Amino acid sequence: MFAYTVKRLIQMVVVLWAVSVIVFLMMSFTGDPVFMVIPIDSSDAEIEQARRILGLDRSLTEQYFIFLGNLLQGDFGTSYVFRQPAIDLILERLPATMEIVVVAMVIATTIAIPLGVYAGANPGKPLSRLIMSGSLLGISLPGFWVGMMLIYFFAVEWRIFPSSGRGDTVEVFGVPTSLLTADGWSHVLLPAITLSVGTLAILLRITRAGMMEVSRQDYMKFARAKGVSRRGVLYGHGLRNGLIPVVTIFGLQLGDLIAFATITETIFGWPGMGKLLVDSIYRADRPVIVVYLMLVALIFVVINFLIDILYTMIDPRITVK
Amino acid sequence: MMQAFLASQFFFNWRRNLSAIIGSVIIAIFIVIVAFGPLMVAQDPYDLTQLNLLDSYKPPVWLPGGDPRYLLGTDGQGRDVLASIIYGTRVSALIGIAAMLCSCLIGTSLGLLAGFYGGRLDAIIMRIADLQLSFPSMLIALFLMSAVGTGVDKVLIALTAVGWVVYARTVRGSTLGEIEKEYVQAARVAGLTNAKIIRRHVLPNVLTPLIVIATVQVGTFILIEASLSFLGVGVPITQPSLGLLIKNGFDVLFSGLWWTSVFPGLMIMAMVFGINLFGDFLRDELNPRLK
Amino acid sequence: MTMQSESRDPLLSVRDLRTWFHTFSGVVKAVNDVSFDLAQGEIMGLVGESGGGKSVVGFSILGLIDPPGRIEGGQILLDGEDLAKAPEDRLRKIRGREIAMIFQDPMTSLNPVHTIGRQMDEMLRLHTDMDEAARRRRCIEMLESVGISQAEDRLRAYPHQFSGGMRQRVVIAIAMLAHPRLIIADEPTTALDVTIQSQILKLMKRQVADHGASMILVTHDLAVVSEVVDKITVLYCGQVVERGDVRDVISAPSHPYTRGLIDSIPNPDHRQPRLSQIPGTVPDIRNLPKGCNFRDRCPRAQALCAQEEPKLAPTRQSLFAACHFPIGTGGDA
């Protein structure tokens, strides 16, 4: 277990390093950020000076090592726009993003798994067909459009929920959360539902496929031959086996949620790091984009690691090596 | 040829599968729209001389104030929503298909090389693929677009950059299976060049699973492109796709002018739904194990 | 079927059982008018080629036929109670408690994510009032009696930590836990190494005898059957073509199909001139020809066989055969 953890940690570092190289290279091709920080009527000398201050006059390799050195020292650069450390900007907005991501994941999982199990256990029944058609529709919808429709009906037409912003928050251990106030929830629900649609549909389809695969297994019939009820077989014996593929894509889906939070936050004016990313892309605020990507990469490798551990807990045949 | 198809198991199953039929019909309708769309509407929505500002924000024809010339209403510049949707559908669909073809071409080639030659080349290609797969396509595409700027060509590059991986991995896997087989070994002994072996013996046998991937990918690409365009980093405003139309409609949604964004959204949904319905059927037919 | 070949009262009496599968390409009459009796303590071999409907008989008895399959008719009398008409919750009490089943592949019949202990305990929880400690003791006892050492530790192990033979022992232990009166073993040794096949068979025979239970041994392997069973029922295309005591069937069968099966056993003891195989294949069961189903593969077929379906009738000794020209009734070599 210890050796495995060490091995995985090394892998994580390698992935993060690779991401830093790619991010750096890509950023170097996105045009000259110097024009983002200086007034439009600056003289050539002023431009040169700004370049030197930003370190843009050095060679690419040099720039990379300075960049890497800074990263290792915890210096992730300063936002050109906000004149604040980029990492602070991102971390400030991380809780808001995680809030809608987590709520969306909870919504998706609690709806997808029971429906997927039902559809997998009763293939051919009318309700199962309805569920499957619905899920196919779910993966065919543009998420942002769903969000707009929700805004149109719930905020514009019926005025049940606000259309944007985050609402009241309470601090828990120094982290602001809107999940403890009614006003907070009224702001969270629409973006979280919007975000959950695609994931819900995919989790549902994977659950169904897993259950259908499992229903064919001999141990299901053997359990029934022991006198276990149809329901008992389904939930007692089938579910855990059927969920193994769901666990596999759970991590990927969490990643997708973080990615699509960028759009959802933009639509709902949700003050998370996704909206910050989109704004920073418009403004070519390079350090913020870099920090966002590095942080997201870190989150992904950690999630994947946790998923692997979860795997060994759910399936005794898999052991960590 | 036609006779053989009509007698085939594939056609037999297709006829009994309602979802497959619906999916095919939807796809057929969209092919007609893409091919002949401009001939079906009176207005060229991007010819400014044909626009009349007096006609702006007309609601759909069945609502009070609707204008029979504009079935689905107009936008802020008096542009026929139906016409812009049809033009937008062409942009969306063609980007989806072109990006799929590019991804397929590049991914299949890299997969063949990796599987056939193995070694360091294989290791490099597959590490890149692994790295990429651990990130959501949407995020990679968004990041690339932020780096290269807007434009139809740029969108194609970004989509291809995220789309090749799935082909490369699949093709590599089946290539490894194929080159073990006796007929490839025999071809080698017979002295065929590698290029010939790949083209004549390996390639035809690894293509089947790609059909399903390619079908579904067109839908995925249409959705990603719509998202990018919605965020303003996709296609330029001179060539709006459905996603960009929705973005434009979003700005006036709060004033209750819903028709400029609802209809393009329904169009994307219908198109991708049709593709997915058909893709599901193909998956069951071609890869029964993946059911 | 009015003939009663047993002197004892049968534990299980299957009468004109029909289990059909309604598929898109036609009705598969997997079991068609099958009848047999099984007395308490008796072991019967149910024999035939694969696709002959043997396993379906077993699943029908337990009421485990899933759509598109259905029991179309007949009776399955267990102590006089007709299981073919019993409701699902009654069947659930019978499964495991009265009738237990052993599956073909021990690699797949145990749930991979549950411990052996949990899978054994489940049987006792369902069918007994024992408390946890008593159930645990019983499980350990049972594992030991099927020859698994360190039973206490093994309860915590998962199926993948056992070899195939060991797993089949576990499956047998589970089947015997609730003292069932009838065991249905569906090809219990087919998936195992030849070297452990006979060990497992002996174990099963001993367990059945110790519990005073009866057993139906479903198999395609006549060699396996002859070591263990008291009597044999041979199925072909979902119908009984021959039945009788094991010695009579093996030494001198009267149905040419049984003869063919015996001749294809690779065993020097039988001293047949050469190892033969039954020519041809099982006909498409959805589309059976008129007359005898076996006639296309039968060396003894005559014109009558194409016209009239043979009925099961006594031939010699304990044997019944469904054949117009049974072996040993004149006219054969």
Side-chain angles (χ1 to χ4, degrees):
Chain A
M1 188 65 200
F2 176 73
Y4 173 76
T5 311
V6 171
K7 196 177 148 203
R8 284 303 301 253
L9 281 175
I10 294 172
Q11 275 177 10
M12 286 186 196
V13 172
V14 172
V15 169
L16 289 177
W17 170 77
V19 171
S20 82
V21 174
I22 295 167
V23 165
F24 175 80
L25 283 178
M26 292 304 302
M27 283 288 116
S28 309
F29 294 121
T30 51
D32 200 335
V34 77
F35 298 107
M36 293 292 150
V37 292
I38 52 165
I40 207 151
D41 53 352
S42 305
S43 68
D44 283 0
E46 281 170 325
I47 293 176
E48 273 316 300
Q49 197 196 349
R51 264 185 200 226
R52 251 196 313 285
I53 294 169
L54 293 171
L56 296 170
D57 56 335
R58 297 161 196 261
S59 78
L60 214 55
T61 334
E62 256 182 296
Q63 281 189 48
Y64 175 70
F65 280 108
I66 293 170
F67 167 77
L68 190 64
N70 289 342
L71 286 187
L72 293 177
Q73 288 167 31
D75 175 6
F76 295 87
T78 306
S79 160
Y80 300 151
V81 177
F82 295 90
R83 311 275 170 195
Q84 277 180 46
I87 182 82
D88 292 356
L89 286 169
I90 297 271
L91 289 180
E92 215 171 81
R93 287 162 175 78
L94 180 66
T97 296
M98 292 325 282
E99 209 163 84
I100 53 168
V101 165
V102 168
V103 174
M105 201 55 169
V106 170
I107 294 174
T109 316
T110 48
I111 298 177
I113 290 181
L115 291 186
V117 169
Y118 178 87
N122 304 288
K125 282 205 183 166
L127 186 57
S128 301
R129 284 167 194 262
L130 191 70
I131 290 172
M132 289 318 289
S133 309
S135 76
L136 201 66
L137 204 57
I139 58 172
S140 310
L141 283 169
F144 56 92
W145 185 73
V146 175
M148 287 170 54
M149 294 303 107
L150 289 178
I151 288 180
Y152 181 72
F153 287 109
F154 287 93
V156 179
E157 282 285 301
W158 303 331
R159 300 182 184 280
I160 300 173
F161 292 119
S163 65
S164 76
R166 196 179 178 200
D168 298 342
T169 58
V170 198
E171 292 226 341
V172 178
F173 302 116
V175 181
T177 172
S178 44
L179 300 182
L180 294 173
T181 66
D183 182 56
W185 271 101
S186 74
H187 284 81
V188 167
L189 269 181
L190 291 189
I193 291 172
T194 303
L195 198 51
S196 70
V197 172
T199 298
L200 197 166
I202 289 172
L203 285 181
L204 194 161
R205 296 178 77 78
I206 300 281
T207 306
R208 170 186 176 263
M211 287 307 285
M212 288 190 67
E213 181 64 36
V214 164
S215 321
R216 282 196 282 268
Q217 301 298 315
D218 278 356
Y219 56 78
M220 299 289 277
K221 208 148 195 182
F222 186 62
R224 287 200 64 203
K226 279 158 78 177
V228 183
S229 67
R230 212 177 266 273
R231 260 184 92 80
V233 170
L234 202 56
Y235 293 98
H237 291 267
L239 191 57
R240 196 156 147 202
N241 286 291
L243 287 187
I244 291 172
V246 179
V247 172
T248 317
I249 66 144
F250 197 83
L252 280 176
Q253 283 307 308
L254 217 48
D256 265 7
L257 285 181
I258 292 174
F260 279 100
T262 53
I263 307 183
T264 309
E265 289 175 5
T266 306
I267 301 171
F268 287 93
W270 186 261
M273 60 178 191
K275 185 171 185 324
L276 178 68
L277 174 74
V278 174
D279 293 344
S280 301
I281 287 174
Y282 292 149
R283 299 169 187 146
D285 197 349
R286 201 190 271 184
V288 178
I289 301 176
V290 169
V291 175
Y292 176 90
L293 289 170
M294 295 300 296
L295 182 72
V296 167
L298 180 68
I299 294 176
F300 288 173
V301 291
V302 170
I303 290 173
N304 283 332
F305 176 65
L306 293 179
I307 293 287
D308 283 357
I309 300 289
L310 187 61
Y311 236 155
T312 63
M313 284 159 60
I314 199 169
D315 188 345
R317 285 166 296 185
I318 296 172
T319 46
V320 291
K321 277 200 193 81
Chain B
M1 177 75 184
M2 193 63 201
Q3 217 99 48
F5 174 76
L6 290 176
S8 67
Q9 181 75 28
F10 183 87
F11 181 72
F12 180 81
N13 290 345
W14 180 86
R15 254 187 3 191
R16 289 164 165 270
N17 189 323
L18 184 64
S19 323
I21 296 176
I22 296 175
S24 316
V25 169
I26 294 176
I27 291 176
I29 292 173
F30 276 96
I31 289 174
V32 172
I33 291 177
V34 170
F36 306 109
L39 305 176
M40 301 192 298
V41 285
Q43 190 192 55
D44 175 354
Y46 302 103
D47 179 358
L48 293 176
T49 60
Q50 295 185 26
L51 302 182
N52 185 349
L53 274 179
L54 292 176
D55 287 338
S56 66
Y57 294 131
K58 292 252 188 227
V61 65
W62 59 88
L63 290 179
D67 185 322
R69 282 176 301 162
Y70 308 114
L71 271 182
L72 302 180
T74 60
D75 70 2
Q77 287 150 312
R79 189 175 285 130
D80 182 14
V81 170
L82 179 63
S84 43
I85 285 177
I86 283 177
Y87 277 73
T89 302
R90 300 183 86 195
V91 176
S92 290
L94 290 176
I95 286 179
I97 293 167
M100 176 274 283
L101 291 175
C102 294
S103 304
C104 188
L105 198 68
I106 292 173
T108 306
S109 312
L110 289 176
L112 280 172
L113 291 177
F116 197 81
Y117 292 104
R120 180 165 296 189
L121 182 70
D122 180 32
I124 293 174
I125 294 175
M126 286 303 123
R127 284 301 79 72
I128 296 176
D130 287 345
L131 186 68
Q132 201 168 324
L133 275 185
S134 58
F135 286 87
S137 317
M138 173 62 203
L139 209 55
I140 298 172
L142 180 60
F143 176 52
L144 288 175
M145 291 308 292
S146 75
V148 296
T150 62
V152 171
D153 50 338
K154 313 275 175 51
V155 175
L156 280 181
I157 293 172
L159 292 179
T160 306
V162 299
W164 68 276
V165 177
V166 56
Y167 297 98
R169 283 172 70 105
T170 312
V171 168
R172 173 181 176 269
S174 24
T175 303
L176 287 178
E178 287 303 318
I179 57 178
E180 289 301 308
K181 290 189 182 159
E182 281 169 17
Y183 68 91
V184 175
Q185 303 289 352
R188 280 197 180 175
V189 174
L192 258 68
T193 61
N194 283 343
K196 266 190 184 151
I197 295 176
I198 291 181
R199 210 173 53 238
R200 282 200 203 151
H201 297 291
V202 182
L203 191 58
N205 291 299
V206 302
L207 285 181
T208 313
L210 302 190
I211 297 173
V212 178
I213 297 175
T215 309
V216 176
Q217 194 179 55
V218 173
T220 314
F221 277 166
I222 289 173
L223 287 178
I224 295 181
E225 181 277 322
S227 301
L228 293 173
S229 296
F230 181 81
L231 287 175
V233 293
V235 294
I237 46 170
T238 50
Q239 267 173 302
S241 64
L242 292 171
L244 195 54
L245 292 178
I246 296 176
K247 175 192 160 64
N248 295 338
F250 182 48
D251 302 333
V252 296
L253 185 67
F254 294 95
S255 332
L257 306 170
W258 51 269
W259 53 88
T260 50
S261 52
V262 167
F263 294 121
L266 288 176
M267 203 67 172
I268 295 186
M269 187 186 83
M271 180 156 54
V272 179
F273 187 59
I275 291 170
N276 282 335
L277 275 178
F278 191 68
D280 250 22
F281 168 71
L282 281 184
R283 177 171 10 246
D284 291 352
E285 285 305 302
L286 302 178
N287 310 354
R289 266 299 299 159
L290 297 175
K291 231 180 207 178
Chain C
M1 195 62 39
T2 48
M3 299 284 304
Q4 193 77 346
S5 57
E6 275 75 31
S7 49
R8 294 164 287 185
D9 266 351
L11 167 74
L12 177 77
S13 178
V14 173
R15 286 280 159 272
D16 306 320
L17 178 67
R18 287 184 185 180
T19 307
W20 293 358
F21 290 79
H22 301 266
T23 67
F24 281 122
S25 43
V27 177
V28 177
K29 298 177 180 175
V31 175
N32 206 10
D33 287 327
V34 166
S35 303
F36 58 84
D37 287 319
L38 191 64
Q40 184 77 43
E42 217 175 13
I43 301 182
M44 183 186 90
L46 195 57
V47 184
E49 284 166 290
S50 36
K54 312 165 301 214
S55 304
V56 179
V57 172
F59 286 118
S60 301
I61 294 172
L62 278 171
L64 285 178
I65 298 294
D66 288 324
R70 221 175 68 187
I71 296 181
E72 298 284 331
Q75 293 174 308
I76 300 165
L77 301 168
L78 182 75
D79 260 350
E81 179 183 3
D82 189 358
L83 302 185
K85 292 183 181 64
E88 172 69 17
D89 49 336
R90 173 69 191 138
L91 285 172
R92 231 160 61 206
K93 296 206 176 67
I94 289 170
R95 291 183 201 131
R97 176 77 195 81
E98 308 283 340
I99 308 174
M101 192 151 179
I102 296 169
F103 281 36
Q104 172 170 10
D105 190 352
M107 294 297 184
T108 57
S109 49
L110 293 170
N111 190 331
V113 302
H114 290 170
T115 60
I116 299 300
R118 180 167 170 185
Q119 298 187 54
M120 295 185 78
D121 189 61
E122 183 175 40
M123 187 70 129
L124 292 174
R125 255 188 306 130
L126 286 165
H127 299 299
T128 69
D129 305 326
M130 298 159 100
D131 63 28
E132 204 180 324
R135 295 202 304 262
R136 196 179 149 75
R137 274 198 307 278
R138 172 102 183 93
C139 290
I140 293 170
E141 251 172 56
M142 200 62 231
L143 277 186
E144 278 166 352
S145 86
V146 296
I148 292 179
S149 55
Q150 293 166 312
E152 207 158 348
D153 297 333
R154 296 306 192 111
L155 285 180
R156 281 192 299 275
Y158 288 95
H160 71 275
Q161 294 163 315
F162 289 78
S163 68
M166 280 299 180
R167 277 191 228 186
Q168 199 62 308
R169 285 170 192 265
V170 172
V171 171
I172 292 167
I174 293 176
M176 304 309 299
L177 265 173
H179 301 293
R181 288 190 294 166
L182 173 63
I183 311 291
I184 299 170
D186 187 359
E187 305 266 10
T189 57
T190 311
L192 300 177
D193 271 7
V194 184
T195 46
I196 40 183
Q197 282 187 358
S198 83
Q199 282 178 32
I200 294 289
L201 279 175
K202 280 185 194 127
L203 171 69
M204 286 173 45
K205 185 164 181 159
R206 205 186 65 232
Q207 286 287 341
V208 169
D210 289 353
H211 287 79
S214 311
M215 178 158 77
I216 298 175
L217 187 60
V218 177
T219 181
H220 68 281
D221 188 349
L222 262 174
V224 164
V225 190
S226 55
E227 291 177 38
V228 184
V229 304
D230 303 313
K231 60 182 192 180
I232 288 180
T233 300
V234 182
L235 287 185
Y236 186 73
C237 291
Q239 293 179 312
V240 177
V241 292
E242 176 152 28
R243 64 183 165 85
D245 292 346
V246 61
R247 217 164 307 136
D248 301 334
V249 173
I250 297 290
S251 62
S254 32
H255 199 287
Y257 178 60
T258 318
R259 174 86 264 162
L261 286 178
I262 291 169
D263 287 346
S264 53
I265 302 172
N267 188 339
D269 295 351
H270 286 284
R271 288 212 233 110
Q272 74 258 35
R274 64 193 159 89
L275 193 62
S276 65
Q277 243 185 333
I278 305 174
T281 52
V282 181
D284 183 0
I285 201 160
R286 285 163 300 203
N287 207 351
L288 288 175
K290 210 178 136 217
C292 175
N293 296 329
F294 187 61
R295 64 163 198 272
D296 290 340
R297 305 172 71 185
C298 184
R300 301 166 67 85
Q302 298 183 26
L304 176 65
C305 302
Q307 286 149 18
E308 202 176 309
E309 197 177 330
K311 297 267 176 287
L312 204 59
T315 51
R316 284 177 285 110
Q317 293 145 320
S318 64
L319 298 181
F320 285 67
C323 182
H324 293 301
F325 308 101
I327 306 166
T329 52
D332 58 298

